[in-house]
Amino acid sequence: MKELTLATLIAVFEEIYGRGLFWSLVVISGIITVAFVAVLIRDRGIASRWLVRAEITAPLGAVAAVWFVLWFTNSHLADIGGPIDWIVIAWIALAGGGGLTLLSYTAQAILGHAPRAKT
Amino acid sequence: MTERTSAPRLSRRALMGLGAGAAALGALPVAAPAQTPAPVKTAARIVILGGGAAGTAMANRLVQRLDGAEITVVDGRAQHWYQPGFTLIAAGLKPSGYSVSRTGEWLPSAARWVNEGAAAIDPDARRVTTTGGEVLEYDYLVLACGMVLDWDAVEGFEKSQVGANGIGAVYAGPEEAAATWKAMDNFTDKGGIGLFGRPATEMKCAGAPLKYTFITDDYLRRKEHRDTSQVIYTAHNDTLFSVPIVNEKVKLLFRERGVDTRWHHVLRGVDAGARQAHYDTPEGRKVLDFDFINVIPPMRAPQVIRDAGLSWADRWVDQGWAEVDPETLRHRRYANIFAVGDVAGVPKGKTAASVKWQVPVVEDHLVADINGRAGTAVYNGYTSCPMITRIGRAMLVEFDYENNLTPSFPGVISPLEELWISWLMKEIALKPTYNAMLRGLA
């Protein structure tokens, strides 16, 4: 790779997803993050009731993300060849697990009732 | 057909979105954005011969760098082919439409596209005549007209044969690559003798013949016909790859996979009916039977380059590549002519990755000339080959003129290790990077 600038990276991602889709995804992920921060501020912290439920979805998100990437790239777990491959798989799993936890927590916090005041 | 096959891919891409984006943004070192210099005002007339990867990228970058230049792209082809995709099409992983787009959709509106080929170049009079008879006068000429595949040099071969009788030709085009997959799929369903090899001339992506050997071997194994099959690779000389350390690694892998390598074999003809291939060897003509063959013909510069006297006189005399300085890509006898991409007569690099590195060098020297300064950019021969060693794994081989390995991610992605991440890059990131390059953005 000659010179990896942010502009190059954005140009490549625009090509992967299409400009409209890429920026839509950026906006959606931004909205989810902002909503998460907003409910944290509203509730003055993390509500353990929702967090526990949200965490249950994490393994699901992790497995789904890894399975999806393997399917999308016509490959299998047996193709993992070196340490960097395991690191990338771990990142994908982390992104999938973390992402779904975040989404799940935020959805519960917005749709559900406000948690009881801390005692 | 293309639309039907591509529609679900879009939704997969949609889902891929955040994960891949976040991972890449987090994992890769990102440099500060380069300062874009103010456009240079000029009335220079620049003619670019060819609207393929090199010509299109060149046109888009020059439009960004110059204000008022008259830029003309001469290319008679309506279709633009993403050629790095041919291997994936011939491996049954992508439809033929994966590599096809329209030439016009990539060219900048600020440039004029003459939809004809070049019939003649007069470098002394600084004039190009198109096949339609239009005369284009220029101040600067960029040769980006690629190469021609000399199919006639393979006796008995016709492109119409591809797909039947075990005949494949990955390089011939997207449709032929898809037909090659049909032939290879049939072959690997039953097993038999598979013939692979490369021509004795310079060629585009010299790793592709090896990749296709590995992929076919992989399919034979998946279909449990490898034990009853013979995979033969016919090398044109005594090496498999021009970079010594990569050559040794590929030899090792060929030994592991049981590929039978025949040295100093140059394909001269194919008898589709008898399923026999004819080779020139130091011991004379040899005939090999086949059940599947990937035919790759000799490759040469377009005739118009040779007729104009722009080729090297003492190197590659049977091939006619443009006589340019390997570091600046400027013609050695005509200072206002440059060559980029396959047509450039340089020791390495007939790949899209080379184009990515060459275009900014020519841009630098050309714009500097217009500005009355001297250009400083140097092309070091960088090229890259994601060497697929089976479906799901590849080695990201990158090197320069001196055969140095030049890994983009040293210590992270090893160039001689078969890795899934290298496969991932070939499958997902390469085409978008290529498209960004076409637009002059990467």
Side-chain angles (χ1 to χ4, degrees), chain A residues 1 4 15 71 73 79 85, chain B residues 12 31 390 408 420 423 439:
Chain A
M1 193 136 314
L4 193 61
E15 292 292 342
W71 167 71
T73 58
D79 294 321
D85 289 347
Chain B
R12 289 192 200 182
R390 73 183 209 197
S408 290
W420 173 68
W423 166 261
R439 296 185 204 279

Side-chain angles (χ1 to χ4, degrees), chain A residues 1-19 21-22 24-30 32 65-66 68-92 95-96, chain B residues 9-21 23-25 28-34 93-94 106 222 356-357 360 382 390-393 398 408-409 412-413 417-424 427-429 432-433 435-436 439 441-442:
Chain A
M1 193 136 314
K2 194 170 170 64
E3 190 184 74
L4 193 61
T5 63
L6 190 61
T8 309
L9 214 54
I10 289 172
V12 169
F13 278 108
E14 282 183 350
E15 292 292 342
I16 291 180
Y17 307 111
R19 182 171 290 186
L21 182 59
F22 171 69
S24 303
L25 290 168
V26 171
V27 169
I28 290 168
S29 59
I32 294 170
V66 170
F68 177 76
V69 172
L70 290 173
W71 167 71
F72 186 78
T73 58
N74 297 295
S75 41
H76 303 92
L77 269 183
D79 294 321
I80 300 300
I84 181 65
D85 289 347
W86 287 111
I87 292 168
V88 172
I89 284 281
W91 270 104
I92 292 166
Chain B
R9 286 179 191 284
L10 205 74
S11 65
R12 289 192 200 182
R13 285 175 187 174
L15 290 162
M16 274 290 283
L18 295 174
L25 279 166
L28 300 178
V30 177
L93 300 174
K94 304 282 182 195
W106 303 106
R222 285 164 190 244
K356 189 166 174 293
W357 259 250
Y382 172 91
R390 73 183 209 197
I391 307 285
R393 274 194 193 172
E398 298 165 279
S408 290
F409 309 101
V412 180
I413 300 179
E417 198 174 359
E418 294 177 78
L419 293 171
W420 173 68
I421 190 175
S422 303
W423 166 261
L424 210 66
E427 263 256 329
I428 298 178
T433 308
N435 288 350
R439 296 185 204 279
L441 299 173

